[in-house]
């Protein structure tokens, strides 16, 4: 049994079919799809877990409708499930537009796979579209607020040096928090200053690798941590190659990184809701405001499509309007 199969079979509720009914041909075909997505498509563990939960709800919905075989599913069932996601008529928790859209996308992918593999002769979900969420601007904080947080982070202790290095790293690279805590020491190359910015190797969604520069502030903070902090933390552990370590010498968790940032923001008297993703949003927004090309920012963020990155241009457009309104003599009147 592969690791993906084991995960698919052993995932806890609500990520598996209801225990009140026997497994059906649909349940088995869903497991085949999850195997495909995990092994052949290289889906990240967190994304695969979300797919598993979404498709378990779908298979339970179909079972309640008396549908146990993939070939018996019709467009009516797919649209009925999409409606149930919004109103909870299937007994599940009603979902917001974004969560419902994500679930419908998972269902569409499932049916497309079944049709391509010959499990079914038709794709009943091909023209069922996910609900369109309203365009929501990313939350970013100002350069001054970022600076205050970074300067408030850390002390001259092993964990303090780590905290400063971690937050400087997140803002300097725009890395996702999962990418940062997943780094090993060998993924970072701290070159001499005359050789240009240091280079970091990040592993994004689907294990896609990209190289990202690390600015001088981030490089100095990371170097101080590696020289004076990590060695002390590593001595308490079992020789992990992880870059960022916890107080016991093991790899730091995403939850701990969130706590580190919250503490720094509180110390800096930042009252806004701040998370590690806030630093990623701010990284992108500040680059675009500084004149960076959107496709360069796309590459740095590891977005598969430039469309995902272009939402940040709406933020900078708002800034431009404010500056124009305040500065142009005939902007208002």
């Amino acid at each position: 049994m592969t690791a993906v199969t084991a995960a698919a079979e052993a995932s806890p509720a609500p990520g598996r079919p209801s225990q009140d009914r026997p497994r059906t041909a649909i349940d088995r075909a869903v497991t085949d799809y999850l195997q495909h997505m995990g092994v052949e498509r290289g889906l990240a563990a967190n994304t695969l877990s979300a797919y598993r939960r979404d498709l378990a709800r779908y298979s339970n919905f179909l079972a309640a409708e008396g549908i146990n075989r993939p070939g018996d599913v019709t467009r009516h069932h797919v649209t009925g499930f999409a409606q149930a996601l919004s109103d909870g008529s299937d007994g599940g928790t009603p979902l917001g537009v974004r969560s419902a859209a994500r679930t419908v996308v998972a269902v569409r992918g499932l049916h497309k796979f079944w049709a391509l593999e010959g499990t079914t002769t038709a794709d009943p979900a091909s023209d069922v579209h996910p609900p369109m969420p309203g365009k929501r601007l990313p939350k970013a904080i100002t350069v001054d607020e970022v600076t205050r947080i970074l300067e408030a982070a850390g002390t001259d202790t092993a964990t303090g040096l780590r905290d400063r290095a971690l937050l400087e790293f997140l803002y300097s690279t725009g890395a996702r928090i999962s990418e940062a805590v997943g780094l090993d020491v060998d993924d970072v190359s701290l070159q001499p200053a005359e050789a240009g910015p240091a280079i970091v190797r990040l592993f994004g969604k689907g294990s896609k690798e990209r190289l990202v520069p690390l600015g001088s502030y981030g490089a100095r903070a990371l170097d101080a941590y590696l020289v004076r902090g990590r060695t002390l933390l590593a001595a308490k552990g079992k020789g992990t190659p992880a870059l960022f370590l916890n107080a016991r010498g093991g790899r730091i968790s995403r939850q701990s990184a969130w706590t580190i940032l919250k503490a720094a923001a509180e110390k800096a008297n930042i009252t806004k809701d701040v998370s590690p993703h806030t630093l990623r949003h701010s990284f992108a927004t500040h680059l675009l405001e500084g004149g960076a090309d959107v496709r360069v920012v796309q590459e740095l963020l590891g977005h598969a499509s430039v469309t995902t990155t272009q939402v940040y241009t709406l933020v900078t457009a708002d800034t431009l309007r404010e500056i124009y309104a305040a500065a142009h003599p005939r902007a208002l009147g």
Side-chain angles (χ1 to χ4, degrees):
M1 179 181 293
T2 67
V4 175
T5 303
E9 297 288 351
S11 66
R16 62 182 301 154
S18 169
Q19 300 302 303
D20 297 330
R21 65 173 178 81
R23 282 176 58 82
T24 65
I26 285 179
D27 296 323
R28 291 189 290 273
V30 166
T31 297
D32 290 341
Y33 176 61
L34 292 172
Q35 280 187 273
H36 166 77
M37 296 299 285
V39 175
E40 297 185 32
R41 296 286 299 277
L43 220 62
N46 288 341
T47 306
L48 191 63
S49 179
Y51 268 60
R52 188 176 300 117
R53 289 193 302 270
D54 294 341
L55 295 178
R57 181 168 179 172
Y58 183 50
S59 62
N60 288 334
F61 171 84
L62 292 175
E65 293 287 310
I67 305 300
N68 298 318
R69 296 181 302 176
D72 293 339
V73 182
T74 66
R75 185 182 186 279
H76 169 76
H77 297 118
V78 180
T79 56
F81 177 65
Q83 180 62 41
L85 293 173
S86 299
D87 59 25
S89 56
D90 64 338
T93 302
L95 301 181
V97 175
R98 290 179 179 275
S99 296
R102 182 203 67 214
T103 303
V104 171
V105 167
V107 169
R108 281 169 54 90
L110 173 70
H111 280 288
K112 183 177 181 180
F113 173 77
W114 283 349
L116 290 173
E117 292 292 303
T119 303
T120 59
T121 57
D123 180 356
S126 61
D127 63 347
V128 178
H129 300 289
M132 294 298 293
K135 189 164 286 185
R136 185 175 62 184
L137 297 181
K139 296 178 181 179
I141 55 179
T142 66
V143 175
D144 176 68
E145 288 169 329
V146 171
T147 301
R148 285 162 54 193
I149 289 174
L150 296 178
E151 291 179 348
T155 57
D156 198 24
T157 64
T159 54
L161 291 168
R162 175 208 61 201
D163 295 352
R164 178 64 179 268
L166 175 62
L167 298 189
E168 288 275 11
F169 181 90
L170 289 171
Y171 179 62
S172 183
T173 64
R176 301 176 179 92
I177 187 58
S178 57
E179 294 171 344
V181 301
L183 281 174
D184 290 339
V185 174
D186 290 343
D187 294 324
V188 180
S189 174
L190 296 180
Q191 304 174 18
E194 60 272 14
I199 296 296
V200 181
R201 182 172 56 174
L202 296 177
F203 299 91
K205 294 182 177 180
S207 298
K208 293 180 180 177
E209 179 181 333
R210 70 185 188 278
L211 297 178
V212 179
L214 176 65
S216 59
Y217 285 87
R220 284 196 296 270
L222 192 56
D223 184 62
Y225 161 64
L226 289 172
V227 173
R228 296 188 283 124
R230 187 184 181 281
T231 303
L232 297 176
L233 296 176
K236 302 176 183 180
K238 299 180 180 179
T240 175
L243 177 60
F244 295 110
L245 303 179
N246 59 31
R248 299 179 302 280
R251 188 181 296 275
I252 197 172
S253 67
R254 290 186 297 174
Q255 291 77 12
S256 294
W258 189 90
T259 301
I260 290 167
L261 176 56
K262 281 290 188 181
E266 184 176 343
K267 188 177 178 181
N269 294 317
I270 302 296
T271 58
K272 296 178 180 177
D273 187 22
V274 177
S275 72
H277 221 63
T278 304
L279 294 182
R280 178 170 162 87
H281 291 326
S282 302
F283 164 86
T285 301
H286 298 164
L287 277 174
L288 289 166
E289 288 177 342
D293 183 87
V294 67
R295 291 194 179 276
V296 173
V297 178
Q298 173 196 356
E299 183 69 23
L300 293 173
L301 291 173
H303 286 160
S305 170
V306 73
T307 304
T308 308
T309 314
Q310 283 174 333
V311 68
Y312 294 99
T313 64
L314 299 176
V315 179
T316 58
D318 287 342
T319 302
L320 290 174
R321 289 190 191 98
E322 292 173 6
I323 295 173
Y324 178 85
H328 197 282
R330 296 181 70 82
L332 302 172

